[in-house]
Amino acid sequence: MEVVSNGEVIAVYRHANVLYAIDGVCMHQGGPLARGRLADGTVTCPWHGWQYELATGNHAPTCKPMLKTYKIQESDGVIEIDLPI
Ligand code: FES
């Protein structure tokens, strides 16, 4: 799913029963990463296929840091994301 808070777009995923929250806008040309395909701990942008590691936000092929990640947790069915103030 995509969450927008204070103008920041964040993509939230549950992959292999682990929650992740990363920047939701692709660094290539702004594709919507919340609509990307998940596999092997990565998300693939739906527009041109750039891939990012869910745990780090790194560009998967090069390991170059690209996207911010956010701390996310679930308690009693409520998902909370730590956002910068
Ligand atoms: S906009 Fe994401 S790969 Fe091009």
Side-chain angles (χ1 to χ4, degrees):
M1 74 164 40
E2 184 174 278
V3 175
V4 179
S5 175
N6 288 333
E8 298 214 30
V9 179
I10 300 164
V12 177
Y13 310 98
R14 186 186 303 274
H15 178 58
N17 211 29
V18 177
L19 288 169
Y20 300 94
I22 64 173
D23 281 340
V25 179
C26 180
M27 294 296 286
H28 180 220
Q29 292 182 353
L33 293 178
R35 288 194 253 149
R37 182 175 42 85
L38 301 178
D40 300 327
T42 66
V43 58
T44 301
C45 179
W47 284 5
H48 314 101
W50 280 33
Q51 294 180 310
Y52 302 93
E53 296 174 0
L54 297 174
T56 63
N58 291 352
H59 183 235
T62 63
C63 295
K64 183 177 174 185
M66 289 207 166
L67 302 176
K68 284 187 285 186
T69 60
Y70 302 88
K71 185 176 176 189
I72 185 169
Q73 61 273 329
E74 183 175 26
S75 177
D76 294 329
V78 176
I79 295 173
E80 295 178 326
I81 304 168
D82 288 348
L83 299 173
I85 297 176

